[in-house]
Amino acid sequence: MLDHVSITVSDIAAAERFYDAIMNALGVVKVGRRDDWLGYGERSRAAYPDRVYISIRKGPKPEEAEGRHWCFKAKWQTQVDAFWDAGIAAGGVDDGAPGLRNYHASYYAAFLRDPDGNRIEAVCHAAV
């Protein structure tokens, strides 16, 4: 459904430490960086229209919006655990420790806030 998402952060260095850690835990590659931008995932092309990409851009600190968050897919529950552990170690804030949620019987997720307060999630839908 999504081709790409762009979010803003006020401190690109803090964001880079955080997003490098969580994306590595999820097996997502870093595709580029500049002083004002980070990119993760794979950009869509004519030959690869199903790819997904996230762009982290330097900008003003985002406004608080409790219902807004970005959710990344994890293949295994252990990746969700690693996402949360890596995020906490890299300056993130706990917003919901790894565990089963009541969305469906196998919905295993964790929530973090990045150093700017953006709310992010990792979820595994696989039945154990």
Side-chain angles (χ1 to χ4, degrees):
M1 182 170 138
L2 293 175
D3 182 81
H4 66 278
V5 173
S6 296
I7 64 172
T8 60
V9 297
S10 63
D11 183 340
I12 202 80
E16 185 170 25
R17 283 188 301 277
F18 178 81
Y19 283 96
D20 279 1
I22 65 162
M23 293 300 175
N24 183 56
L26 294 172
V28 177
V29 297
K30 183 177 190 178
V31 295
R33 78 161 315 280
R34 293 189 312 247
D35 291 340
D36 63 345
W37 165 83
L38 305 166
Y40 300 90
E42 298 179 276
R43 288 188 173 184
S44 292
R45 304 277 188 255
Y48 305 100
D50 294 331
R51 291 180 174 177
V52 180
Y53 171 80
I54 186 167
S55 173
I56 316 284
R57 298 188 174 274
K58 185 168 174 41
K61 186 172 179 139
E63 294 178 19
E64 182 69 28
E66 190 60 34
R68 180 185 64 216
H69 75 281
W70 294 269
C71 183
F72 300 102
K73 291 185 181 205
K75 293 178 183 175
W76 309 281
Q77 289 183 2
T78 55
Q79 277 189 312
V80 173
D81 297 340
F83 157 90
W84 190 86
D85 290 340
I88 295 295
V93 175
D94 174 25
D95 205 30
L100 290 169
R101 302 296 194 263
N102 62 0
Y103 303 116
H104 65 70
S106 300
Y107 197 106
Y108 188 88
F111 295 86
L112 292 167
R113 298 281 178 151
D114 76 6
D116 265 291
N118 287 303
R119 190 168 190 238
I120 61 171
E121 173 186 4
V123 64
C124 174
H125 294 283
V128 177

